[in-house]
């Protein structure tokens, strides 16, 4: 990054990696493990890229030979392979234990106890010591830098259920009817196990009669639970295990008890394991994993390509160029850049560490406290997951679960997201005014024009993404794939571009495009099809019209650009590429691999660096996606059990009974549950579980479906900054070298917009630009009788309420705000944003008194918003007047002559 950080100590790349691994409990590999894990990760990304580009049919059309078909997989088979990749990487990336857990500590006491009892030379002591050493070698990884033998065994076992699903789909279809009767044994599925099976059968253990399908489903479920424990902690693991146990023994709950609604019908393990493992309608391989296969992974990969291209640091530079000289400029730049990168990465922790390594030192240097700096970064990073157009992985889950078009989801999410970041901007500004924190000198910041000239092309993939999704209405999978091709093509052109190649490179690209378009006009196919037609290998296609040919050639331009640029790179591999500025991780990977090949000079080769960029992006994307894949696989069990057991209607009735049919109580319970479930759990898993349990009660209470899903998402994101498990805030504290709990408390306060804004759009769907549950059209926007009361007034009230909340939290506007006035600002904020809250409280009191009422009508809510506006204006005027008086007093004190001056 070109911002001058001066003497303010920041984190080195190694320190960033160590902090990330510490927070995410992920290994740092060495030696052969680095290569093996990278190859598996790249294979995972290759598998997903093929699916995005070509679908579930694996084959190709070869010249002369013709079409070669390797396999055509079903959704269940693809999902099983997807989960298997995630499990294998999880076992290789996350250790079984570091020897610090409860079980490890208890087992660790055995050897000292035996030694103390029997002495050092006793055979039992030596045996215990040897057993303890072998156990530590097989399972523990205290330094988080080696793959233990147990990890390798689990990784191999993780491939077995997927192998069975991929090769025995016909038998799985029979299981749907006959369950596990007359299915193959393990020895029949895996030939190397046949001798073992025969031996066990010979000694009276009838393994030949045991269904391999059943055993593998149990094994797969246990592996999912173990991978979840490693990658995500005990909370989600325990919850999923509890639901599995409930599916088997939930019928023991007495129907006439207080929780009798949770009683279900008895079921067998055979039915449970089939439904949770071998279907795409429920369980591990159900809808959440399908969303990961089709949408989430490809966009995580897109984010990885964009980040490794250097776009992340360029966007940070641009944010500082635009805002760095303003009052509180470094913090404002952090809000902008962290929100943007959080949108792409989908990980609050990763974004806090990587982006915060640059933004936090600059905030501290400008005058913000370490705790406030870490809090701003973590709050903005977690908020990035609700920022369109990518929204981390959340947008794709919402699309799948609600059936809402992607374009409608991002349109609906825009205004609430802008309100959150507006609130962050307001609060860092007020903190800067209170502390007299200015911006950085222009000399220490990148020049806006030069920064734009050096990286304007980074906007192209984002513009294309919006075009593909919103205008062209491509499928999400195809849009993600085409955008990745655009990033690679763009970086290939940048790698080949310099002063000497500029004209011939651009001219060759133009000529190749025209030749491709001409081929479509004359032969009905591209250049390769034309060559085959001229050689008599293939018949010529139907010629296209000029406009159709131009569009078809544009679709091929990414591949054309990559091939043409590759030729220029190979012709001048050592030439300088002035615009090429990969992420430091790419250059580090190129240097390490070049040294491994004993050719360190390769690291300076443009072609080698470009290849390192592609492979490092694929590796990084797979590592980031591993946690998400494990999370959605585990979380899918919860809605699976609810669906299969018939619990859904009873659970909805129980929740409605607990909430007393009060929407306010129901929403509050939902929000609190979202925070609790989201603590230490990825947003995706929290969202899947809560939507499965609470969507029906929310919709029955009158909440619009899309608003209900966004409500769960917003509140769930609060978990990342809510003590005591504020993982993103703790990561920010680590970067800022600040006190963890104080940083978390500040981050929680800065994020309170995520609490009130969801209430606002639930009660006023016009904030989401929804009318009768659908996105408003142009005709709706011209209906002033609807737009003004249902859209304009709530939206303006939301932004003004966010402003008032910012004053409340910081305690400063034009000057210090008293405690009494802060309370008044908070009341004004609620009245402006969500006047329905006090009205529903009054309705509840009147209902208890036996007086029916309906107070949440426009006339009353508009009046309360008017009162809130009057309060805000009056409080602001008083605060400004007091600030003017203080300034006048300060000027008088400065200008008055001191004693003895005369």
């Amino acid at each position: 990054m070109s911002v001058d950080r001066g003497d303010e100590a920041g984190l080195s790349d190694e320190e960033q990696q160590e902090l990330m691994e510490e927070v995410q409990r992920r290994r740092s590999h060495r030696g052969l493990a680095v290569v093996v894990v990278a190859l598996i990760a790249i294979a995972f990304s290759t598998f997903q890229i093929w699916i995005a580009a070509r679908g579930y049919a694996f084959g190709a059309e070869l010249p002369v030979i013709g079409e070669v078909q390797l396999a055509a997989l079903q959704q269940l088979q693809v999902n099983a392979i997807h989960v298997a990749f995630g499990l294998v990487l999880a076992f290789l990336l996350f250790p079984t234990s570091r020897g610090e857990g409860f079980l490890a500590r208890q087992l660790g006491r055995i050897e000292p106890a035996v030694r103390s009892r029997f002495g050092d030379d006793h055979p039992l002591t030596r045996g215990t010591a040897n057993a303890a050493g072998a156990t530590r070698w097989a399972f523990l990884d205290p330094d988080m830098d080696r793959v233990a033998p147990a990890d390798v065994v689990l990784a191999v076992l993780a491939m077995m259920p997927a192998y069975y699903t991929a090769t025995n789909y016909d038998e799985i279809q029979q299981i749907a009817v006959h369950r596990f009767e007359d299915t193959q044994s393990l020895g029949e599925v895996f030939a190397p196990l046949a001798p073992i099976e025969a031996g066990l059968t010979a000694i009276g253990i009838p393994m030949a009669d045991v269904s391999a399908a059943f055993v593998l489903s149990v094994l797969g479920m246990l592996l999912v639970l173990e991978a979840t424990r490693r990658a995500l902690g005990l909370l989600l693991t325990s919850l999923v295990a509890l639901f599995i146990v409930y599916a088997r023994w939930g019928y023991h709950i007495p129907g006439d008890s207080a929780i009798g609604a949770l009683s279900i019908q008895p079921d067998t393990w055979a039915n449970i394991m089939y439904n949770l493992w071998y279907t795409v309608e429920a369980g591990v391989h159900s809808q959440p994993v399908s969303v990961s296969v089709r949408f989430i992974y490809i966009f995580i990969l897109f984010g990885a390509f964009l980040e490794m291209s250097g776009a992340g640091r360029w966007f940070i530079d641009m944010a500082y160029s635009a805002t760095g000289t303003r009052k509180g400029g470094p913090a404002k730049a952090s809000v902008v850049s962290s929100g943007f990168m959080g949108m792409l990465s989908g990980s609050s922790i990763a974004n806090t560490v990587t982006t915060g390594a640059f933004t936090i030192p600059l905030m501290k240097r400008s005058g913000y406290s370490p705790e406030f700096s870490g809090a701003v970064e973590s709050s903005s990073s977690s908020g990035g997951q609700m920022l369109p157009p990518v929204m981390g992985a959340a947008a794709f889950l919402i699309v799948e679960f609600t059936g809402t078009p992607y374009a409608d989801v991002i349109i609906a999410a825009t205004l609430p997201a802008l309100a959150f970041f507006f609130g962050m901007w307001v609060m860092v500004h007020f903190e800067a005014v209170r502390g007299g924190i200015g911006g950085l000198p222009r000399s220490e910041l990148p020049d806006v024009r030069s920064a734009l000239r050096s990286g304007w092309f980074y906007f192209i993939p984002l513009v294309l993404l919006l075009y593909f999704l919103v205008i062209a209405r491509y499928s999400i999978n195809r849009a993600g794939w085409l955008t990745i091709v655009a990033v690679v093509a763009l970086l290939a052109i940048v790698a080949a571009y310099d002063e000497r190649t500029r004209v011939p490179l651009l001219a060759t690209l133009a000529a190749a495009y025209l030749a491709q378009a001409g081929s479509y006009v004359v032969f009905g196919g591209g250049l390769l099809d034309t060559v085959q037609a001229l050689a008599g290998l293939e018949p010529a296609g139907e010629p296209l019209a000029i406009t159709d040919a131009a569009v078809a050639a544009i679709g091929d331009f990414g591949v054309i650009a990559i091939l043409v640029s590759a030729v220029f790179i190979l012709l001048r591999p050592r030439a300088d590429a002035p615009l090429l500025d990969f992420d430091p991780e790419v250059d580090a990977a190129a240097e390490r691999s070049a040294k491994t090949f004993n050719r360190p000079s390769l690291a300076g080769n443009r072609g080698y660096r470009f290849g390192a960029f592609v492979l490092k992006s694929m590796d990084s994307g797979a590592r980031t996606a591993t946690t998400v894949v494990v999370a959605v696989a585990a979380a899918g069990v919860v809605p699976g059990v609810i669906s299969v057991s018939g619990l859904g209607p009873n659970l909805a009735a129980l929740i409605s009974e607990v909430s007393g049919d009060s929407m306010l109580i129901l929403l509050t319970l939902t929000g609190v549950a979202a925070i609790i479930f989201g603590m230490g759990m990825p947003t995706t898993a929290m969202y899947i579980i809560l939507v499965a349990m609470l969507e029906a009660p929310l919709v029955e209470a009158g909440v619009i479906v899309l608003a209900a899903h966004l409500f769960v998402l917003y509140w769930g994101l609060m978990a990342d900054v809510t003590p005591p498990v504020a993982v993103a805030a703790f990561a920010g504290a680590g970067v800022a070298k600040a006190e963890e709990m104080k940083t978390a408390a500040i981050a929680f306060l800065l994020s309170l917009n995520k609490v009130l804004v969801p209430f606002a759009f639930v009660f006023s769907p016009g904030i989401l630009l929804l009318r009768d549950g659908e996105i408003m059209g142009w005709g709706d926007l011209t209906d002033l009788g609807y737009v003004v009361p249902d859209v304009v007034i709530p939206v303006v009230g939301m932004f003004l309420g966010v402003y008032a909340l910012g004053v409340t939290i910081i305690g400063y506007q034009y000057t210090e705000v008293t405690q009494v006035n802060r309370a008044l600002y908070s009341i004004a904020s609620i009245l402006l944003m969500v006047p329905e809250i006090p009205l529903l409280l009054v309705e509840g009191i009147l209902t208890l008194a036996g007086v029916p009422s309906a107070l949440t009508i426009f006339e009353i809510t508009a009046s309360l918003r008017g009162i809130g506006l009057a309060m805000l204006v009056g409080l602001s005027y008083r605060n400004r007047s007091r600030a003017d008086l203080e300034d006048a007093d300060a000027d008088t004190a400065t200008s008055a002559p001191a004693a003895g001056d005369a």
Side-chain angles (χ1 to χ4, degrees), residues 372-677:
F372 191 85
S373 301
V376 169
E377 177 60 43
S378 57
S379 185
S380 300
S381 294
S382 65
Q385 293 185 64
M386 58 194 186
L387 185 65
V390 180
M391 297 175 66
F396 313 116
L397 288 167
I398 293 174
V399 167
E400 188 72 11
F401 277 87
T402 65
T404 306
Y406 185 84
D408 291 355
V409 172
I410 62 175
I411 289 171
T414 297
L415 288 177
L418 292 178
F420 169 76
F421 284 99
F422 168 72
M424 288 294 302
W425 184 285
V426 165
M427 287 184 281
V428 299
H429 175 78
F430 287 153
E431 182 70 15
V433 174
R434 176 166 61 183
I437 300 171
L440 297 174
R442 172 53 68 184
S443 60
E444 298 181 8
L445 295 170
D447 177 67
V448 177
R449 292 183 179 178
S450 62
L452 274 174
R453 282 197 300 270
S454 66
W456 61 268
F457 48 83
Y458 288 122
F459 283 117
I460 293 177
L462 296 175
V463 173
L464 285 175
L465 176 62
L466 286 173
Y467 169 78
F468 292 146
L469 289 172
V470 179
I471 298 175
R473 297 276 180 169
Y474 287 173
S475 68
I476 298 174
N477 217 9
R478 180 169 173 76
W481 156 244
L482 291 176
T483 311
I484 289 176
V485 172
V487 173
V488 176
L490 185 65
L491 269 293
I493 294 172
V494 170
Y497 179 93
D498 58 33
E499 288 297 323
R500 182 174 171 183
T501 63
R502 177 175 58 183
V503 173
L505 174 64
L506 298 180
T508 305
L509 288 172
Y513 169 76
L514 293 175
Q516 185 79 349
S519 296
Y520 277 112
V521 171
V522 177
F523 293 95
L527 289 172
L528 182 60
D529 297 324
T530 299
V531 171
Q532 292 181 348
L534 292 175
L537 300 175
E538 293 286 344
E542 187 72 25
L544 300 182
I546 293 178
T547 54
D548 295 335
V551 172
I554 289 175
D556 299 333
F557 186 72
V559 176
I560 293 172
I562 293 171
L563 295 175
V564 170
S565 300
V567 172
F568 276 82
I569 291 171
L570 293 174
L571 290 175
R572 301 180 67 239
R574 301 268 173 202
D576 182 45
L579 298 180
L580 194 63
D581 187 20
F582 289 132
D583 188 88
E585 286 191 39
V586 173
D587 294 327
E591 291 172 4
R592 284 195 304 269
S593 59
K595 288 179 181 177
T596 302
F597 296 137
N598 202 24
R599 296 187 61 187
S601 61
L602 278 176
N605 184 300
R606 284 194 297 182
Y608 191 82
R609 289 181 67 207
F610 180 75
F613 154 70
V614 174
L615 295 179
K616 181 62 181 176
S617 300
M618 296 171 72
D619 178 32
S620 176
R623 290 170 187 261
T624 301
T626 295
T627 305
V628 177
V629 173
V630 172
V632 296
V637 171
V638 176
V641 170
I642 292 174
S643 171
V644 171
S645 66
L647 173 65
N650 292 344
L651 182 62
L654 180 63
I655 293 172
S656 298
E657 184 178 346
V658 171
S659 64
D661 293 325
S662 167
M663 182 183 288
L664 184 59
I665 295 176
L666 177 60
L667 290 172
T668 304
L669 290 175
T670 301
V672 173
I675 292 178
I676 293 173
F677 280 104

Side-chain angles (χ1 to χ4, degrees), residues 145 585 718 875:
D145 61 357
E585 286 191 39
M718 279 294 293
L875 291 167

